[in-house]
Structure formats: C-alpha cells, structure tokens
Amino acid sequence: MVRIAILASGSGTNAQRLIEHFAGNALAKVVLVGCDQPEAGVIQRAWDHHVPCYLFTGAQLKDGTLLRELQGQRIDLVVLAGFMRLIPMEMVRAFPDRIVNIHPALLPKYGGKGMYGQHVHEAVIAAGETESGITIHLVNDRYDEGRVLFQAKCPVLPSDTVEVLAMRIHALEHEHYPVQVEKLVRSNS
Ligand code: GAR
C-alpha cells in the first residue's frame, strides 16, 4: 500500500477529490494532509474524510520538521494540491521523483514565483490567451520546473472572468489529477 501525503494551502477541492479517489483503493491511500495555513478550508475537508491533518509553519518546512514528520509516517508519495510554498532541496532529495504538483496553466507559460491560484488566471486573461489548461509535473527545487507528466487544455473565451476560468480549470483538475496520481503510483510500484 503506497502511503500518500497531500500538502495544501487553500480550499482543498483537489485534496478532497484525491482522498475520495483513493478511499477503498487497494494500491494507495491518502494517510495525511499537511497544511501551512491554519484557516485553510482543506483542514475541514480532511477532517470530514477522517484523514489526519498536520499543521506546520513556513519555518518548519524549511528546517526539516515537516520532512521528519513525513518520514516518521512512512510516506511514499507527496502530492501537492494548491500548495503555495517552495519545496526545500532536502525534501526533494528525500523524495526523488516522488513529489508531484498540479499547476493551473500550461507550463512553461504562467509559472514561477508568484504565479499561483487566481494570479495565474488573471495573467492568462490579461494576455488575451485563447487557451489555457493544467500541468501535472514532478517537483524539483525551482518553482514549476520539474518534468511534465501530463497536460490538458481548455478554451479561454473572450467573456471569461477570472472566476469563470478558475471554475473551468478546477473541473479539468478534478477530472485528471486523481487519475494521473494513480498512474504515477502504478509506474512506481
Ligand atoms: C488549484 O487550481 C491548483 O492548480 C492551484 O491552486 C488551486 C488550488 O485549489 N495551484 C497552484 O497555483 C500552485 N502553483 P484547491 O485548493 O481547490 O485544490
């Protein structure tokens, strides 16, 4: 059984889909949700699904406290689902090709520091793009630069607001992220 930890900073809709997807799955299970924002919606979602939540600070991410917790809980795969901080090198080395992220745009476009959540959709609309999408990729120590595993596209319509585009992107994420994480689990085991 592959033991998955999700790291999230926000509402946690992707985290919830992942938890639900792997509930009752013989191959893998979400055993922990790690969160760096004490007010984040993901905490309630984890509780509702009986998944323990581990709260940590930015300092604890940097000083290895979170890494030790993940190792102590024998985590095999770390799945970032709306996690807004850079993963330290020490953690990348401890989980080689075992940390995966989802980004709400077609990388390498609209990636990098500061490009997260609504900011990404604002930039896509401001640039007049006619399509956007999602990127699922392995994580290295630079924002949004690890090996791409999967991309899916959707249109950007002239009438789109940030909220409408965010909803379209979320729908794509919910459809594909659990399936792609399961694919990664299968290819690693
Ligand atoms: C998702 O759209 C995810 O792609 C994005 O944050 C949102 C979290 O939504 N991640 C990033 O921007 C990472 N750079 P959720 O909390 O509802 O899953």
Side-chain angles (χ1 to χ4, degrees):
M1 171 75 75
V2 172
R3 293 170 62 80
I4 297 175
I6 294 174
L7 300 186
S9 306
S11 162
T13 65
N14 280 287
Q16 182 176 335
R17 296 302 166 113
L18 287 156
I19 292 168
E20 288 168 353
H21 180 88
F22 287 104
N25 186 309
L27 211 65
K29 189 173 179 198
V30 177
V31 296
L32 185 71
V33 169
C35 180
D36 63 326
Q37 301 294 330
E39 306 292 326
V42 70
I43 297 168
Q44 186 64 47
R45 292 182 196 269
W47 277 109
D48 288 346
H49 290 77
H50 312 289
V51 177
C53 203
Y54 177 76
L55 269 177
F56 57 92
T57 62
Q60 288 173 320
L61 172 67
K62 285 191 187 142
D63 71 11
T65 305
L66 173 66
L67 175 57
R68 282 191 294 279
E69 178 70 20
L70 297 176
Q71 290 172 326
Q73 298 224 20
R74 294 175 288 105
I75 298 301
D76 302 299
L77 181 67
V78 179
V79 178
L80 310 185
F83 187 60
M84 302 309 177
R85 292 181 192 264
L86 186 65
I87 299 295
M89 196 58 211
E90 195 192 0
M91 194 182 296
V92 175
R93 289 216 180 96
F95 289 93
D97 292 346
R98 299 283 195 281
I99 308 178
V100 61
N101 182 41
I102 191 159
H103 187 77
L106 297 169
L107 292 175
K109 282 174 137 185
Y110 304 105
K113 200 169 167 38
M115 275 293 171
Y116 59 87
Q118 308 286 74
H119 300 296
V120 177
H121 308 313
E122 272 164 26
V124 166
I125 289 173
E129 297 283 357
T130 55
E131 66 175 15
S132 188
I134 62 168
T135 303
I136 295 169
H137 65 96
L138 295 176
V139 170
N140 61 21
D141 63 328
R142 295 155 79 111
Y143 275 111
D144 304 326
E145 289 188 19
R147 180 158 63 84
V148 171
L149 302 175
F150 176 86
Q151 289 188 310
K153 292 178 181 175
C154 65
V156 180
L157 306 177
S159 59
D160 276 354
T161 59
V162 169
E163 290 74 24
V164 169
L165 180 57
M167 276 173 64
R168 199 175 298 127
I169 294 284
H170 259 121
L172 265 191
E173 294 184 328
H174 298 161
E175 178 186 351
H176 292 290
Y177 205 18
V179 176
Q180 292 302 318
V181 170
E182 180 166 345
K183 234 178 165 178
L184 185 64
V185 166
R186 286 184 192 279
S187 72
N188 283 341
S189 50

